[in-house]
Amino acid sequence: MLKLTGRGAMRSPGAPSLRRETERLFWEQIATGITSEKAAEAVGVSQAVGTRWFRYRGGMPLFMSKHISGRYLSFAEREEIGLLQAQSVGVREIARRLGRSPSTVSRELTRNAATRSGRLEYRASVAQWKAELAAKRPKPAKLVTNLRLRHYVQERLEGKVHGTDGLEIAGPRQAPFKGRNKPHRGDRKWVNGWSPEQIANRLQIDFPCDESMRISHEAIYQALYIQGRGALKRDLVSCLRTGRALRVPRARAQAKAWAHVSENVMISNRPAEVEDRALPGHWEGDLIIGLNRSAIGTLVERSSRFTMLVHLPREEGYGLTPRVKNGPALAGYGAVTMANALKKTVTSLPAQLWRSLTWDRGKELSDHARFTIESGIKVFFADPHSPWQRGTNENTNGLLRQYFPKGTDLSRWSAQEIQAVANTLNSRPRKTLGWKTPIEALNEYLKSVQQTSVATTG
């Protein structure tokens, strides 16, 4: 190989590697705030590859911040070289067509050609792999070469907690690190837990005259999050305050949690007539959640306190197939399922009783635009963390917990059974209605509407 290519033996490439250009496009998609699965789909690679890229780079692709210089051949140019050489086009003609120097093309055909057959055979995928492998210039991290500095950083990150008397406090035992975020509702190990910024700045105070004891907080973060840096153990991320196993791109961190709630469907744009409860037909809605992701939809009319319950059975395949991230919602209250169930429910009452619906900000009603078009009912969403804006619904949900306690499986109840509970509440006298029942209050309104309609027609 040394005689053929001028380069020593290289390890076998195996399957053709994915292009750096493709990975760069992947990270450009990540920068928009979307998930790694969607970014992988956008650039034409598998979700597994996208997830692996994201985890290997720690969620922050520092090497992708600058584009590759035009002085280097791209994969497209290497494909063109391979095609033209197969057509027996000369080196100088290939160089002329590509706008490159003949020596660049000649060197490419020699140094990056495949040699497994014992002779030079130029293939673009192998050439790209060889070029990327030869271009690597790994620089040892400072925490790898400076053991004293690394010990200082590790001690401030995962050092033991000591009492005022100097004795070590063991604290709780944490579950083994599995590459995920801090334990959910579980114990975390008690450590010093200094932030990288605190460590980097404290070094200047503790070692004012020793320039070797200097490191930036970003270098510490890279040592923690990026695989292959080799300086700090990966599980030390659990010693950080956030305990985050991967860094989060800024666009994703700043993404709106309720992207389905636009300005025109905010509760501030709801008609003023809703507030005084004088005119029936304005509803409030939410879900009550039970065990194993079971749920029942609740709808309450603001004027009469009339309650309707929405049956949300499991989708076909729930519990039989393993859950898939960003996969179909089979629990029974996905966006499409919820909109369809609400549409079916509202058709059971006269149209004049449906004027608006105020919902919590849950994503189960993210398909509200289609629901409004098909049903004609305007949907509004409450402000974040403001349950009092749907006070009637919240109060009714509290009453329903007598029949559907928290921590119980709500999917076991049929549509007929939950409607029986709704009928029970609607037949219960209310102080706010002058001890009338919600059914009686709603019937009075419907009779008055009917009499007005007859008088107008007559």
Side-chain angles (χ1 to χ4, degrees), residues 14 84 103 180 193 195 224 233 251 422 435 445:
L84 292 175
S103 61
R180 298 183 178 89
S195 71
L224 288 171
K233 294 181 293 183
W435 303 112
Y445 170 73

Side-chain angles (χ1 to χ4, degrees), residues 134-207:
K136 289 183 177 180
R137 297 292 184 271
K139 179 182 178 182
K142 192 171 185 180
L143 290 175
V144 174
T145 58
N146 192 330
L147 298 181
R148 183 183 174 204
L149 179 61
R150 184 172 68 195
H151 177 75
Y152 181 94
V153 172
Q154 286 183 335
E155 174 61 25
R156 270 70 188 168
L157 281 172
E158 66 167 349
K160 303 296 184 182
V161 174
H162 294 83
T164 55
D165 54 1
L167 296 178
E168 181 181 310
I169 306 297
R173 182 184 296 274
Q174 181 175 317
F177 180 73
K178 296 182 179 179
R180 298 183 178 89
N181 286 355
K182 61 188 176 186
H184 179 61
R185 294 185 179 180
D187 288 328
R188 293 184 67 184
K189 184 169 63 174
W190 288 2
V191 294
N192 281 338
W194 287 27
S195 71
E197 186 175 14
Q198 289 170 334
I199 296 173
N201 285 280
R202 185 66 188 184
L203 277 167
Q204 301 176 30
I205 298 175
D206 291 346
F207 304 94

